[in-house]
Amino acid sequence: ERLSRTHLTVRCSDWEVMVEDCGSHNGTVVVPAQGAQPTALVAGTPLVIEPGATAYFDAYSFVYRGRIA
């Protein structure tokens, strides 16, 4: 399978970082830093993430390490 160019968006607003699933076929899951319950994103609904959170989308993932001072 291929990852679409519009699977998810990552954006900043003030001091918050948000991820949002763009209606992808396979969805996006975020696992918070402290090992809390994974959250499956609802398409079109942004989720604020904290440093250490991992976003999984298709066969890919990224870890949000935090803001650069």
Side-chain angles (χ1 to χ4, degrees), residues 1-2 8-9 16 18 21-22 27 30 32 36 41-46 49 57 61 64-66 69:
E1 259 184 76
R2 293 177 39 179
L8 73 121
T9 59
E16 296 180 321
M18 292 169 263
D21 187 273
C22 298
V30 174
L41 299 185
V42 174
T45 303
I49 59 173
F57 49 105
S61 66
Y64 170 48
R65 297 286 184 201

Side-chain angles (χ1 to χ4, degrees), residues 3-58:
L3 179 67
S4 80
R5 288 185 291 167
T6 56
H7 189 105
L8 73 121
T9 59
V10 179
R11 60 189 158 105
C12 298
S13 177
D14 295 321
W15 291 101
E16 296 180 321
V17 174
M18 292 169 263
V19 293
E20 180 179 337
D21 187 273
C22 298
S24 65
H25 186 310
N26 294 320
T28 303
V29 174
V30 174
V31 178
Q34 301 302 322
Q37 288 291 89
T39 300
L41 299 185
V42 174
T45 303
L47 176 71
V48 175
I49 59 173
E50 299 294 328
T54 304
Y56 295 92
F57 49 105
D58 200 13

